[in-house]
Amino acid sequence: RNTNWNGGITPLRKLIRELPKYKKWRTDVFVRDNHVCIKCGCNKSGLLNADHFPLSFSYILKTYNIKNTEDALTCNKLWDTSNGRTLCVNCHKETPNYFRKKK
């Protein structure tokens, strides 16, 4: 009876972010950027996010027609660390696509 219940359906973006390959991509982006926010220099590990940039996560899902985790696993652009950057939570919130917000 919970109003948040969607019939047991987990959103695709959440499924992808739980994949070991996504966790490796995230770690690889952090290592490349020396675990430092590329905008402000923050280096507090619990406050860092890996952001898909310049092509956003949602843009890649839409453009490459990713409909399931199998599609995601075979999409090289999703796992390309050159399309990622390390941002602290505050700097990430300032990006136009943070949680799909529009500026």
Side-chain angles (χ1 to χ4, degrees):
R1 294 181 188 208
N2 188 308
T3 57
N4 293 323
W5 176 251
N6 290 324
I9 298 172
T10 303
L12 179 60
R13 22 179 90 253
K14 181 171 173 38
L15 291 173
I16 293 171
R17 287 186 171 121
E18 291 174 350
L19 291 170
K21 193 167 184 176
Y22 185 88
K23 292 175 183 178
K24 181 181 179 338
W25 173 83
R26 187 176 180 270
T27 299
D28 290 348
V29 170
F30 288 161
V31 168
R32 186 206 55 215
D33 294 339
N34 295 315
H35 291 83
V36 173
C37 174
I38 64 161
K39 285 196 166 198
C40 73
C42 173
N43 63 356
K44 295 181 180 169
S45 63
L47 299 177
L48 296 177
N49 293 164
D51 179 40
H52 280 87
F53 181 83
L55 301 179
S56 71
F57 185 76
S58 59
Y59 176 85
I60 294 170
L61 295 185
K62 184 176 180 181
T63 302
Y64 292 89
N65 199 30
I66 297 171
K67 300 292 184 196
N68 53 50
T69 55
E70 290 78 20
D71 293 343
L73 288 168
T74 60
C75 178
N76 292 331
K77 188 50 96 175
L78 195 59
W79 314 113
D80 182 1
T81 56
S82 67
N83 186 53
R85 62 184 175 178
T86 301
L87 296 174
C88 69
V89 173
N90 290 334
C91 288
H92 196 194
K93 286 179 181 177
E94 296 300 316
T95 63
N97 60 346
Y98 182 75
F99 279 109
R100 295 180 249 159
K101 78 176 181 189
K102 303 289 183 207
K103 277 193 174 180

